[in-house]
Amino acid sequence: MSRQQQEHVSNPSRRNFLKFAGITGGGLVLGVSLNGCSSSTPLPYSSKDAWQPDAFLQMTSDGQVKFFLPQAEMGQGVTHGLTTLVAEELNMPPSDIDVTVAGVHKDYDVPGAGMQVTGGSASMRTRYEGVRQSAAKMRSLIVQAAAQQWNLPAADLVLLDGKVSHGDRVAEVSEFVATAVALPIPEQVTLKDEKDFRWIGKSNQPRVDAIAKVTGTAEFGIDVEIPNLKRAALLRCPVIGGSVKSFNSNGAEKALGVHQVLSIYNGVAVLADHYWQAKKALESIQVEWDYPETLSAHSSADIYQAMGEALSEDGENAFEQGDVAQAFSQADKTLSARYQAPFLAHATMEPMNCVVHLQGDRAEVWAPTQAPGLAQQIASEHSGLDRDNIQVHTPFLGGGFGRRAFHDFVAETTAIAKATGVPVQLVWSREDDMQNDYYRPAAMAEFEAGVDDSGLLNSWRVKRSGPNIMPYMIDEALGMLLPEAVPQSISEWLSKRGYGVFDSWQIDPASVEGLHEDYKVANKRVDHVTVDPGLRCGYWRSVGHSFSGFFVESFMDEVALKTSQDPLEFRLRHMDDNPRLKNVLQLAAKQAGWGQPKPGRFLGLAAVKSFESYVAEVAEISVENNQIKVHKVTCAVDCGRVVNPDIVRTQMESGINYGLTATLFGDITIENGAVKESNFNDYPILRMSEAPEIDVILVDSKEPPTGVGEPGLPPIAPAVANAVFAATGQRLRSLPLKLA
Amino acid sequence: MISFRLNGETVSTDVPSDTPLLWVIREHFQLTGSKFGCGKGLCGACTMHFNGNAIRTCVMPVAAVADGEVTTIEGVGQPDQLHIVQQAWIKHNVPQCGYCQSGQIMSAVALLEQNPNPSDEDIDNFMSGNICRCGTYSRIKQAIHSAADAKHSGVVLFDPQQVQGGAA
Ligand code: FES
Ligand code: FES
């Protein structure tokens, strides 16, 4: 039996979500082991009373199907999405499958990624085949077992809703589990024919996590409760990366419920019985900080000035095709424009939090994380325990958007747990969360286009300046990327070299993605200049596309209008190599009534391919009292085969609204290294009265499915900016959009 | 000692009277359906009912509810006995990450109690104190309209006992 506990997210018998703490893989022990796996490494969650052909699926002796979900649920619907695949192949309702979030194990690594991570809108794209194969094998083995027991050809038997039948003869699958265990697991089995699909591609399916999420019973990280848990709050340096020189607790340790006041590597923590006691006690503590030199020397104005100046440097070449210089000299007309996007916070609805329980040479960590293996690594670095002795539980995430791919909150909690020797929950305040993010990197870009006498682009040159994400990811993940034999001190030293070393020899793909790919132009060149003030950056929903989509699609509009072409027609003329993007653009434009806006309303459009999905959006806006009001967004998406139409629609809506916050409000500003914004009063989030009506068109496709968590976002900012130009004649080249 | 009624039962607590109700409910009474989002009354994640009104409990000292009636999401409906608003939420596929949804539902229930037939504008006005970072707003609006209609007609919008869809 594996030492890993199970984190149940869905239990069909109760139609409820269980607390995962305390539920173990044990239970009824039969005389015969049903874990038929002959491999030497035991599968995670293997149990004597359950048959487990692989790491993903288990069938208990009473016929209950259990699915070990290898991805984190942060709202994007992966729990329902992947469970749908299992349900389809096993020909049973998704709601009858018991879903458990898997712990850390190499079998759960994302194919091709080398680690267990939820990001890059990759879950459906990378798991579609594998999860279906896994479930199809289970189906095939159960049917074979029944065929053997009944002495009938397998082809004559039907598996339906947990029962095997042959004419009038019907039996529960549980009758065949013991026989199935002994059968060899086939290499490859035939998947269900799409004409027989009952769940894939069908609308009006309630998500398997819906009941828990409307009744307050869904368990998020912040809700984790274990015996003797103490709560902590942490006072950090106003500039990220600072440390404590000295502090005066001013008697905070004597406050009601407070156990201890202690300093850790980045701040002063209060440990108390209850969160509010810890949080309140923090107020009296005075700290003298050691400020980080680089970041403390910067404020927003000088950062953007440096990024602007950098655009006149040569930079590193990221992409080149044809001869741009020559094409420019032959162009009929050349145009240029410079765009800017700010740092942004993720502002997940659930602030960062974590529970760590160190128990001698082993530990348990409850972390709302997008990468449990990294959480394990970070907890190992800060506890000194072996990675393999740390068990990570992943509850529901109250939003992720890339923030929870970084684990500073796990590091802090582990440090406090180690220093105090008790199980600890650390909860961040909203202010902590806003001011200690891994921010969407700010970016600036200079575009130049050459247009020939037929109005076609003959050249496309772009240079981007700004910070990169990769050095900060290297900092986080190096310990995991290096072999375990490399001592921690060496990996730490190496990771601190990341910034300089990385930036001078590599181009971070996330810094330049989306700057040239979507349109057919014979001569293209993309260059990059790194300008990094030292504010840590991370993956923010749609990553580089979050700014490059705005830049490219605004510039395309400018070029079209300045060469007297319709923005839709102009784009279509450059999309012959990109038929799927062309198709969604045409669909969205048609549905939105492109060219015939309602009186007082103005339209803007944009189309972006990101994460292998194709999305076009048309924004319908008005400008009243110098305020931009987005009334309606028409969105067309081609994400290959649509597994869950409802979820694709909701993810488009979600990406659009998340993107609208960035379009209209989002701006993280820096003063002497400190983030100024602190809560939703100065970092406003789109509210209901500001949210548009959204109409989503799904392309019916048989291409392999691709992700939808991020691709809805990139087109929205440029669609709105282009509509603002139509309405006012003002070309707003900087986010958030501010009318003059 | 402060006493109040919590989901219909009388409870009492000796926590300092300035402790926000949210933390008393979450940690002392261990009802964790109500969430912490901002601590400043700006997001609505902590919304409960106090004497029938939707309130932000992260900024409401527990002393302020003494002898009053507090209802949390746990008091509104159960997984096997869903309130019509919760049913509407499922039917319209509202929840994504779900973190804001207890607060959204508490606001929506209070709205419908005060205004059984809200217009889009009424909904916007009443619900704009509840942030949803996943952007589920248009579905919330539809769900509130559905719940309002169903309340009048007595229609069940979602029955957890019924296996959903998927004709064989
Ligand atoms: S947590 Fe109370 S309003 Fe945000
Ligand atoms: S559903 Fe995630 S914040 Fe509302």
Side-chain angles (χ1 to χ4, degrees):
Chain A
M1 142 108 212
S2 149
R3 66 175 163 74
Q4 305 204 29
Q5 285 188 315
Q6 302 178 5
E7 287 100 271
H8 286 237
V9 294
S10 150
N11 182 305
S13 57
R14 284 177 56 205
R15 296 295 170 91
N16 191 359
F17 283 52
L18 300 178
K19 287 209 174 247
F20 41 78
I23 295 176
T24 61
L28 177 67
V29 177
L30 301 183
V32 51
S33 168
L34 292 182
N35 181 11
C37 182
S38 56
S39 124
S40 50
T41 26
L43 291 166
Y45 305 109
S46 55
S47 156
K48 280 191 177 143
D49 71 329
W51 164 48
Q52 188 168 356
D54 61 25
F56 299 98
L57 285 173
Q58 204 176 64
M59 190 181 282
T60 61
S61 52
D62 59 0
Q64 173 68 55
V65 175
K66 293 187 174 188
F67 173 41
F68 298 98
L69 179 72
Q71 306 290 146
E73 177 63 57
M74 44 190 172
Q76 82 281 36
V78 71
T79 311
H80 191 73
L82 297 188
T83 303
T84 300
L85 305 180
V86 174
E88 194 64 84
E89 293 299 336
L90 283 169
N91 208 13
M92 63 191 286
S95 55
D96 282 353
I97 294 166
D98 184 353
V99 186
T100 297
V101 182
V104 180
H105 189 280
K106 63 169 176 38
D107 285 10
Y108 300 121
D109 284 357
V110 173
M115 75 191 258
Q116 203 172 336
V117 62
T118 305
S121 300
S123 298
M124 189 52 81
R125 173 159 51 87
T126 56
R127 300 288 188 189
Y128 184 69
E129 281 297 319
V131 169
R132 285 184 70 196
Q133 270 293 332
S134 183
K137 283 176 194 171
M138 181 171 262
R139 176 193 63 206
S140 145
L141 288 167
I142 280 290
V143 171
Q144 275 181 55
Q148 198 173 311
Q149 277 177 231
W150 288 353
N151 208 9
L152 285 164
D156 292 356
L157 304 185
V158 177
L159 173 67
L160 172 68
D161 295 343
K163 295 182 176 66
V164 181
S165 63
H166 178 262
D168 289 345
R169 191 172 180 188
V170 184
E172 302 283 337
V173 288
S174 54
E175 307 224 344
F176 312 110
V177 176
T179 305
V181 170
L183 297 172
I185 299 170
E187 273 297 305
Q188 194 82 10
V189 290
T190 311
L191 300 176
K192 198 178 197 178
D193 192 307
E194 64 173 80
K195 73 172 173 9
D196 300 323
F197 283 169
R198 296 165 67 193
W199 317 102
I200 293 176
K202 305 289 191 254
S203 292
N204 299 318
Q205 306 291 324
R207 284 168 59 140
V208 295
D209 54 358
I211 294 175
K213 287 178 173 178
V214 300
T215 51
T217 54
E219 192 159 47
F220 296 87
I222 202 169
D223 304 326
V224 168
E225 184 68 59
I226 59 171
N228 302 315
L229 185 64
K230 300 285 177 273
R231 321 271 174 177
L234 179 65
L235 189 62
R236 297 171 192 78
C237 181
V239 181
I240 300 172
S243 56
V244 180
K245 205 182 268 176
S246 65
F247 74 95
N248 183 343
S249 70
N250 294 314
E253 63 281 350
K254 297 195 196 78
L256 181 72
V258 171
H259 292 267
Q260 210 174 328
V261 177
L262 64 149
S263 79
I264 62 165
Y265 66 95
N266 69 335
V268 178
V270 174
L271 186 77
D273 287 327
H274 295 290
Y275 172 73
W276 189 251
Q277 297 166 332
K279 167 91 179 122
K280 240 184 115 180
L282 276 191
E283 287 167 16
S284 58
I285 297 170
Q286 284 169 308
V287 186
E288 204 191 323
W289 299 105
D290 246 331
Y291 284 86
E293 244 171 73
T294 310
L295 180 53
S296 303
H298 290 295
S299 297
S300 286
D302 72 73
I303 293 170
Y304 290 111
Q305 195 187 332
M307 283 166 51
E309 283 165 11
L311 290 174
S312 53
E313 291 173 28
D314 286 345
E316 304 287 317
N317 183 246
F319 180 80
E320 189 167 21
Q321 170 189 300
D323 188 338
V324 174
Q326 200 197 337
F328 268 113
S329 67
Q330 292 164 353
D332 189 51
K333 199 167 187 179
T334 59
L335 296 131
S336 69
R338 181 179 287 199
Y339 300 92
Q340 183 180 318
F343 290 105
L344 292 175
H346 295 81
T348 59
M349 207 66 223
E350 179 194 26
M352 298 303 110
N353 64 78
C354 181
V355 169
V356 173
H357 186 195
L358 302 177
Q359 308 147 51
D361 64 353
R362 50 184 307 273
E364 278 180 273
V365 173
W366 285 261
T369 168
Q370 293 176 236
L374 268 179
Q376 188 185 52
Q377 167 67 26
I378 299 288
S380 156
E381 285 169 15
H382 286 264
S383 64
L385 299 177
D386 282 351
R387 223 147 66 182
D388 291 345
N389 286 348
I390 299 171
Q391 185 183 358
V392 178
H393 308 270
T394 309
F396 279 122
L397 281 58
F401 315 119
R403 174 61 181 88
R404 288 181 156 107
F406 295 84
H407 298 87
D408 48 342
F409 54 98
V410 175
E412 293 171 349
T413 315
T414 310
I416 298 169
K418 187 165 184 201
T420 59
V422 295
V424 175
Q425 178 181 49
L426 175 67
V427 175
W428 289 27
S429 67
R430 176 56 57 192
E431 291 78 10
D432 294 338
D433 196 89
M434 198 67 79
Q435 299 180 332
N436 294 274
D437 204 339
Y438 283 79
Y439 300 91
R440 195 285 298 271
M444 226 182 250
E446 177 92 19
F447 282 75
E448 293 169 277
V451 182
D452 66 19
D453 54 10
S454 68
L456 283 169
L457 289 164
N458 80 345
S459 48
W460 180 267
R461 181 155 60 194
V462 47
K463 191 185 290 171
R464 185 259 188 196
S465 68
N468 305 309
I469 297 168
M470 192 59 87
Y472 299 95
M473 192 67 209
I474 292 176
D475 227 10
E476 168 97 3
L478 195 71
M480 187 152 166
L481 302 173
L482 292 173
E484 252 184 299
V486 176
Q488 200 189 317
S489 54
I490 294 183
S491 78
E492 245 168 44
W493 180 86
L494 269 174
S495 86
K496 296 298 172 226
R497 311 271 83 69
Y499 311 89
V501 175
F502 176 85
D503 289 335
S504 58
W505 61 261
Q506 260 285 24
I507 296 219
D508 185 347
S511 296
V512 293
E513 64 187 358
L515 288 172
H516 72 85
E517 296 89 329
D518 286 343
Y519 296 103
K520 183 177 173 182
V521 185
N523 306 287
K524 292 179 177 178
R525 184 180 170 103
V526 179
D527 294 292
H528 188 262
V529 190
T530 295
V531 177
D532 187 353
L535 182 70
R536 62 190 195 185
C537 291
Y539 303 107
W540 187 96
R541 200 172 193 173
S542 81
V543 196
H545 296 283
S546 68
F547 52 80
S548 63
F550 171 65
F551 297 170
V552 168
E553 285 297 273
S554 295
F555 190 55
M556 284 298 285
D557 231 62
E558 292 205 49
V559 176
L561 295 170
K562 285 189 183 142
T563 55
S564 308
Q565 303 182 66
D566 175 80
L568 171 63
E569 289 308 319
F570 178 67
R571 283 178 174 79
L572 296 176
R573 292 181 76 191
H574 295 89
M575 293 175 116
D576 288 346
D577 291 348
N578 205 346
R580 293 174 72 184
L581 192 64
K582 188 175 187 177
N583 180 43
V584 292
L585 181 58
Q586 285 169 312
L587 285 171
K590 181 156 186 257
Q591 175 95 347
W594 180 252
Q596 299 128 0
K598 298 193 195 95
R601 301 281 174 93
F602 300 89
L603 301 179
L605 54 72
V608 178
K609 176 193 180 190
S610 64
F611 309 95
E612 306 302 317
S613 291
Y614 304 79
V615 180
E617 286 162 17
V618 181
E620 180 184 313
I621 71 145
S622 67
V623 174
E624 284 147 40
N625 305 320
N626 217 37
Q627 295 289 311
I628 301 164
K629 166 95 184 151
V630 183
H631 296 273
K632 185 174 177 182
V633 177
T634 306
C635 166
V637 50
D638 177 352
C639 56
R641 180 182 297 282
V642 176
V643 175
N644 305 111
D646 298 316
I647 289 178
V648 175
R649 282 191 197 95
T650 56
Q651 282 313 295
M652 289 303 115
E653 293 161 10
S654 181
I656 287 166
N657 283 331
Y658 198 89
L660 276 175
T661 289
T663 305
L664 301 172
F665 315 121
D667 194 2
I668 286 291
T669 59
I670 315 296
E671 197 169 278
N672 300 322
V675 170
K676 284 205 289 187
E677 290 68 31
S678 61
N679 207 317
F680 299 131
N681 55 327
D682 50 14
Y683 192 83
I685 305 296
L686 192 83
R687 290 176 185 269
M688 185 182 275
S689 53
E690 298 153 337
E693 178 193 343
I694 299 172
D695 183 10
V696 180
I697 307 158
L698 309 181
V699 171
D700 189 11
S701 167
K702 294 202 187 344
E703 295 291 324
T706 52
V708 292
E710 297 167 280
L713 190 147
I716 190 61
V720 172
N722 295 338
V724 168
F725 182 81
T728 65
Q730 291 181 49
R731 178 57 66 180
L732 303 181
R733 300 196 180 95
S734 183
L735 290 173
L737 303 178
K738 289 208 168 69
L739 287 165
Chain B
M1 193 66 85
I2 295 158
S3 296
F4 57 95
R5 285 174 66 78
L6 175 56
N7 297 330
E9 279 176 42
T10 303
V11 295
S12 54
T13 172
D14 57 2
V15 300
S17 59
D18 63 347
T19 309
L21 180 63
L22 173 65
W23 296 105
V24 178
I25 298 295
R26 285 183 53 84
E27 292 188 11
H28 296 263
F29 296 108
Q30 289 179 359
L31 296 178
T32 53
S34 310
K35 303 302 184 202
F36 167 60
C38 69
K40 293 275 168 67
L42 298 166
C43 76
C46 63
T47 306
M48 300 177 197
H49 295 171
F50 174 52
N51 294 342
N53 294 312
I55 52 154
R56 311 296 181 221
T57 60
C58 64
V59 288
M60 173 75 103
V62 62
V65 301
D67 304 322
E69 196 75 56
V70 172
T71 309
T72 67
I73 184 74
E74 290 87 352
V76 161
Q78 301 293 324
D80 52 4
Q81 211 176 355
L82 296 168
H83 187 278
I84 193 71
V85 169
Q86 293 169 316
Q87 295 177 26
W89 248 238
I90 295 175
K91 185 176 153 71
H92 289 275
N93 258 306
V94 174
Q96 291 186 26
C97 84
Y99 194 78
C100 74
Q101 298 298 346
S102 296
Q104 304 278 5
I105 290 169
M106 295 310 286
S107 288
V109 169
L111 165 63
L112 289 177
E113 244 136 62
Q114 287 158 30
N115 180 354
N117 269 313
S119 65
D120 277 351
E121 208 185 332
D122 295 336
I123 298 174
D124 275 349
N125 289 336
F126 199 91
M127 299 297 294
S128 277
N130 286 82
I131 291 175
C132 175
R133 191 59 168 140
C134 299
T136 62
Y137 299 124
S138 58
R139 285 169 190 270
I140 288 176
K141 201 176 282 182
Q142 293 161 21
I144 290 175
H145 284 306
S146 281
D149 293 346
K151 253 183 150 178
H152 300 307
S153 60
V155 166
V156 172
L157 295 175
F158 174 79
D159 178 0
Q161 298 314 320
Q162 222 153 12
V163 175
Q164 298 294 307

